């Protein structure tokens, strides 16, 4: 639901909504009733039950509240054509004192709409290597239908963390719409956005998606449990969408090319909830501009809880600083403030050389970001690397950029072949004398899509 949103071409897909895919299997997670236990081997990664005083904002250590009509430097109207302004007013977003979060769209006397959009502070949600991540929420969609619902656009989704460093990196960084619902209609939709726009492997701006009705009771005005499973344990890897424990959509790695899948899916994400008004999707479904004078303000989207759980694989390290580093380091790679296309793995490197965990599966288009790195006239860039040799390592480069992932590189390393994926070597390259505090972006470039290097730590001297 970010840049470009869902345009009129989506109308046919929504109207010709697909019911359950024929696979009525339930996940090992919270099927239907929103059971809050860690069953079937799941481990809790994050949870918010939205407990708190009525009229208060969601916990600031867990949620950011977007304001305005777009990310700084990004597309206007959030890239979707929606017409509201997001605020942090408790009239638009607040706890209800009964264990729910309410997002409420309002219209003033001049006809201007306000609403709310929140994002998780954490941006490191992704499955453990060879494991599965399940993101789930119990949501009551706005209890409004027909003419009074024109322009309502509720969403529960995940967005690739790379967008926080580059708001124009959509759709390549990946977007998983767990739930979208417009105009009070009888169906909800789940979608993967990826690749390039327009068109591309995910048919942007439409995305690869499907819809379904809600089992047992209408979607609007009733609580249902919506879930997304991000499975890197299967072959091929798979993304799955559920409502009340019933799978209604899936996308496999073989449905798109390898590089597109890697950029969109081998990537950490953050969680969003929002209730937009107007825009490409509701306009397309209604075949008219929305909202209009008959749209009813003040009907909330109500969120009971959101949970993130993992199962299987090798858990990723989540401790350590996320911002504020000394350039002299060493700055451990797993402590990156954000990343794109990477994963953390145990290291066999000697403890005095870094040890602990390393970041692996680094290839063309991947990125690591370290916020608030303080330089003191440093003139060299150092990195502790390992690579497996063969064609995959030929021509691969690690580039250092300051303050923007698209800035000109100030230094470049070519790891080449160190003799193995756990055979470690420290490399160094000259950089211009650098002082002050900068956000450091490590970008990875190669003439082929295969991963070409693992990284333990970086530093400057």
């Amino acid at each position: 639901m970010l840049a470009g949103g869902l345009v009129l071409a989506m109308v046919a897909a929504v109207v010709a909504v697909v019911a359950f895919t024929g696979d009525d299997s339930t996940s090992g997670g919270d099927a239907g009733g929103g059971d809050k236990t860690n069953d079937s081997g799941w481990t809790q990664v994050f949870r918010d039950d939205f407990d708190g005083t009525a009229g208060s904002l969601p916990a600031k250590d867990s949620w950011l509240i977007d304001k305005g009509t777009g990310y700084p430097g990004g597309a206007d109207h959030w890239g979707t054509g929606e017409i509201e302004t997001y605020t942090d007013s408790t009239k638009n977003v607040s706890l209800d004192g009964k264990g729910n979060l309410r997002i409420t769209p309002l219209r003033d006397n001049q006809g201007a709409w306000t609403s709310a959009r929140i994002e998780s502070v954490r941006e490191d949600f992704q499955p453990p290597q060879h494991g599965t991540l399940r993101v789930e929420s119990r949501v009551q969609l706005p209890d409004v239908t027909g003419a009074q619902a024109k322009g309502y656009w509720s969403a529960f989704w995940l967005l690739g963390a790379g967008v926080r460093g580059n708001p124009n990196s959509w759709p390549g960084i990946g977007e998983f719409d767990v739930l979208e619902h417009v105009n009070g209609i009888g169906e909800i939709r789940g979608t993967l956005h990826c690749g390039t726009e327009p068109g591309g492997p995910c048919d942007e701006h439409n995305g690869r998606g499907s819809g379904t009705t809600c089992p047992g009771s209408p979607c609007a005005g009733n609580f249902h449990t919506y879930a997304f499973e991000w499975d890197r344990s299967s072959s091929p890897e798979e993304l799955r969408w559920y409502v009340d424990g019933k799978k209604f959509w899936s996308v496999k790695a073989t449905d798109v090319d390898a590089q597109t899948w890697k950029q969109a899916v081998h990537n950490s994400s953050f969680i969003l909830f929002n209730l937009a008004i107007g825009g490409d999707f509701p306009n397309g479904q209604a075949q008219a501009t929305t909202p209009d004078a008959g749209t009813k303000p003040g009907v909330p989207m109500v969120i009971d809880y959101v949970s993130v759980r993992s199962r299987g694989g090798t858990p990723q390290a989540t401790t350590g600083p996320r911002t504020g580093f000394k350039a002299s380091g060493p700055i451990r790679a797993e402590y990156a403030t954000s990343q794109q296309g990477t994963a953390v793995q145990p290291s066999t490197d000697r403890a005095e050389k870094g040890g602990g965990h390393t970041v692996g599966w680094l290839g063309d288009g991947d990125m690591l970001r370290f916020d608030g790195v303080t330089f003191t006239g440093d003139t060299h860039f150092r990195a502790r690397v390992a690579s497996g040799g063969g064609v995959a390592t030929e021509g691969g480069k690690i580039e250092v950029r300051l303050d923007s992932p698209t800035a000109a590189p100030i230094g470049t390393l070519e790891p080449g072949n160190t003799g193995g994926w756990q055979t470690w070597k420290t490399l160094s390259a000259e950089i211009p004398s650098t002082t002050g505090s900068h956000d450091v972006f490590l970008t990875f470039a190669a003439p082929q899509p295969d991963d070409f290097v693992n990284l333990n730590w970086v530093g400057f001297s």
Side-chain angles (χ1 to χ4, degrees), residues 374-440:
T374 302
F375 292 82
T376 55
D378 301 286
T379 57
H380 288 82
F381 165 57
R382 298 174 292 121
R384 184 78 171 167
V385 300
S387 56
V391 174
T393 60
E394 294 177 2
K397 298 179 180 180
I398 305 173
E399 298 170 318
V400 185
R401 305 171 193 263
L402 301 183
D403 302 317
S404 169
T406 58
I410 64 167
T412 300
L413 290 173
E414 296 188 22
N417 179 10
T418 68
W421 293 110
Q422 289 293 326
T423 301
W424 295 91
K425 183 177 181 180
T426 302
L427 303 179
S428 179
E430 292 186 359
I431 62 171
S433 180
T434 305
T435 60
S437 179
H438 299 274
D439 296 339
V440 171

Side-chain angles (χ1 to χ4, degrees), residues 133-447:
L133 195 78
R134 180 177 172 88
V135 184
E136 174 183 294
S137 183
R138 185 169 179 263
V139 178
Q140 177 184 286
L141 294 169
D143 190 10
V144 61
T145 59
Q148 293 184 328
K150 287 178 68 174
Y152 271 69
W153 185 358
S154 303
F156 161 40
W157 49 304
L158 294 95
L159 187 59
V163 79
R164 286 183 170 169
N166 179 4
N168 297 305
S169 57
W170 186 94
I173 45 81
E175 175 183 329
F176 314 123
D177 297 331
V178 186
L179 155 71
E180 288 187 284
H181 181 247
V182 297
N183 298 342
I185 62 175
E187 300 88 25
I188 55 92
R189 190 167 181 85
T191 306
L192 164 68
H193 292 281
C194 70
T196 57
E197 59 167 332
C202 274
D203 187 28
E204 300 301 349
H205 305 288
N206 299 323
R208 284 181 170 263
S210 185
T212 186
T213 57
C214 292
S217 61
C219 301
N222 296 285
F223 277 104
H224 293 276
T225 301
Y226 304 92
F228 170 74
E229 287 188 353
W230 186 349
D231 188 352
R232 295 182 66 182
S233 68
S234 61
S235 181
E237 296 179 359
E238 184 178 30
L239 307 175
R240 297 184 290 268
W241 283 257
Y242 299 84
V243 58
D244 292 343
K246 299 290 186 177
K247 185 176 78 172
F248 70 93
W249 179 236
S250 64
V251 180
K252 297 180 184 292
T254 49
D255 292 332
V256 300
D257 65 271
Q259 182 65 7
T260 293
W261 184 264
K262 178 180 177 181
Q263 284 190 299
V265 176
H266 292 195
N267 186 11
S268 65
S269 293
F270 55 93
I271 298 169
L272 303 96
F273 291 94
N274 67 291
L275 205 172
I277 296 294
D280 297 330
F281 193 0
N283 292 350
Q285 192 279 329
Q287 289 287 276
T289 300
T290 65
D292 61 23
T295 303
K296 181 180 179 179
V299 186
M301 173 185 181
V302 185
I303 303 147
D304 175 18
Y305 70 89
V306 59
S307 76
V308 181
R309 293 184 292 171
S310 67
R311 182 169 63 186
T314 303
Q316 298 185 134
T318 57
T319 58
R322 303 291 291 177
T323 186
F325 304 91
K326 292 182 179 179
S328 57
I331 303 169
R332 300 178 68 92
E334 77 254 35
Y335 292 170
T337 308
S338 63
Q339 63 81 40
Q340 176 175 309
T342 77
V344 176
Q345 60 182 342
S347 170
T348 61
D349 200 12
R350 299 194 309 275
E352 66 271 21
K353 296 293 185 180
H357 287 76
T358 64
V359 170
W361 296 276
L362 291 158
D364 188 56
D366 295 343
M367 180 184 72
L368 293 171
R369 172 177 175 170
F370 303 88
D371 284 358
V373 179
T374 302
F375 292 82
T376 55
D378 301 286
T379 57
H380 288 82
F381 165 57
R382 298 174 292 121
R384 184 78 171 167
V385 300
S387 56
V391 174
T393 60
E394 294 177 2
K397 298 179 180 180
I398 305 173
E399 298 170 318
V400 185
R401 305 171 193 263
L402 301 183
D403 302 317
S404 169
T406 58
I410 64 167
T412 300
L413 290 173
E414 296 188 22
N417 179 10
T418 68
W421 293 110
Q422 289 293 326
T423 301
W424 295 91
K425 183 177 181 180
T426 302
L427 303 179
S428 179
E430 292 186 359
I431 62 171
S433 180
T434 305
T435 60
S437 179
H438 299 274
D439 296 339
V440 171
F441 294 83
L442 299 185
T443 58
F444 299 83

